[in-house]
Amino acid sequence: MRLYRIALWAVVPVALPLLAAPAGVTVARPARDRAPQPPLAAGRLEAAVRPSRAERPFPAFGAMRMAPPRSAPRPAIVPRAGWRADETRRDPYAKYAGGVGAVFVHHTDTPNDYDCADVPRTLRNLYDGQTGDLHWGDMGYNFLVDRCGTVYEGRAGGVDRPVVGSHTLGFNRGTTGVAAIGTFGPGTPVPAAMERAIAAVAAWKLGLSGVDPLGKARLTSTNDNSRYPKGTSASFDAISGHRDGFATNCPGEALFARLPAIRKLAADLQTKAAAAPATARPTAPGAARPAAPAPVRPPVTAR
């Protein structure tokens, strides 16, 4: 009699760590995998990101810390002290959202023929008008970019935090406002350095919430005077123009026409960062150290 040995193979399920979506951001999944979700409160950020299977992050075993599935280096940012902001003019308390799901691009509607060395004075003039005449409590934009490609901190509260600005009425919460210093009506050239700087800020800020610059964000209006009545949910490009959320020509025909190219630049920055080894992903050279956050008070309704 012959005896045969039979090898039995068992398939054992392996528990993998899950990637949690950032606070205040809902990542959309394919319908067959989607579990029922409770309705979101009005005004809460809903960023709908639909990555392909190839793009979904797969965590390495034994990893103690993991970068967001989409990230980009932080660009160099001139702090408020660098343009000599008068901190006595602003509201001492910053407002925060649960995350940043979209970027709104603006222009400042100021002259284009400036010397970049004079930009701090331009920022102080904007700041005086927005805190004085407009009563916005601070600079309305979170960031400003000049034609030489320099990025400036606008609204106080911490550049790496989801600070609620006063840049896009009805859609300030859960978004970042980036203003191009100048006026970009039809036929006005948009400097390449400015485009790259806007893309760098957008790639970094969206990356902190794992958002694809080429994707979509679903936001809920908080003001009836926006393009959408209060409480209305609307879909936006992750990098949109001011006019997408409010009845205005901002950011000008020329800059608005460049938004597809800026989205592509931002996406490329995230792709390059994802392909680089973890040890090769430092903060961009010359980047300012994070500023101390402004004191926080209980949440209030955003403009």
Side-chain angles (χ1 to χ4, degrees):
M1 178 184 297
R2 294 184 179 180
L3 298 178
Y4 295 90
R5 295 182 179 177
I6 301 176
L8 299 177
W9 296 90
V11 178
V12 180
V14 179
L16 297 178
L18 298 177
L19 286 177
V25 178
T26 302
V27 180
R29 296 178 292 170
R32 64 176 179 275
D33 298 329
R34 192 177 301 150
Q37 297 292 324
L40 293 172
R44 181 179 173 189
L45 165 68
E46 304 170 65
V49 184
R50 297 177 174 81
S52 66
R53 285 186 179 275
E55 294 173 325
R56 290 177 194 162
F58 192 89
F61 287 102
M64 297 301 294
R65 297 182 62 186
M66 297 176 57
R70 295 182 179 276
S71 62
R74 170 180 163 170
I77 301 170
V78 177
R80 289 168 63 89
W83 53 272
R84 301 192 300 280
D86 181 355
E87 302 298 356
T88 66
R89 297 185 62 91
R90 68 173 175 87
D91 184 340
Y93 299 99
K95 308 179 188 77
Y96 298 94
V100 170
V103 172
F104 282 106
V105 177
H106 306 256
H107 68 174
T108 57
D109 201 20
T110 52
N112 293 342
D113 58 347
Y114 55 86
D115 186 322
C116 290
D118 292 334
V119 167
R121 180 172 58 186
T122 299
L123 297 187
R124 291 193 298 273
N125 290 337
L126 287 169
Y127 181 54
D128 289 348
Q130 293 178 4
T131 56
D133 298 337
L134 298 178
H135 305 290
W136 285 355
D138 197 351
M139 180 75 82
Y141 315 115
N142 299 94
F143 301 93
L144 299 99
V145 176
D146 69 17
R147 64 189 186 92
C148 296
T150 303
V151 180
Y152 293 86
E153 177 185 12
R155 201 171 189 88
V159 294
D160 57 341
R161 302 185 68 185
V163 179
V164 178
S166 297
H167 52 86
T168 306
L169 189 68
F171 297 101
N172 291 311
R173 186 170 293 278
T175 66
T176 281
V178 182
I181 301 172
T183 303
F184 296 94
T188 304
V190 181
M194 176 178 276
E195 288 189 20
R196 290 193 297 269
I198 294 172
V201 174
W204 170 60
K205 287 297 289 185
L206 293 174
L208 295 176
S209 296
V211 176
D212 180 359
L214 297 175
K216 299 286 185 179
R218 182 159 291 278
L219 307 171
T220 300
S221 173
T222 62
N223 196 299
D224 285 330
N225 292 323
S226 74
R227 279 196 179 275
Y228 301 88
K230 182 177 179 179
T232 301
S233 177
S235 178
F236 294 87
D237 288 313
I239 300 177
S240 291
H242 185 187
R243 65 176 62 183
D244 292 317
F246 185 72
T248 176
N249 289 326
C250 183
E253 293 294 337
L255 182 52
F256 188 77
R258 296 300 301 164
L259 292 187
I262 290 172
R263 294 182 194 114
K264 180 63 167 56
L265 284 170
D268 288 346
L269 287 172
Q270 288 189 351
T271 298
K272 290 176 182 177
T279 55
R281 299 181 197 170
T283 298
R289 293 180 180 274
V296 181
R297 66 180 173 189
V300 296
T301 303
R303 291 185 176 85

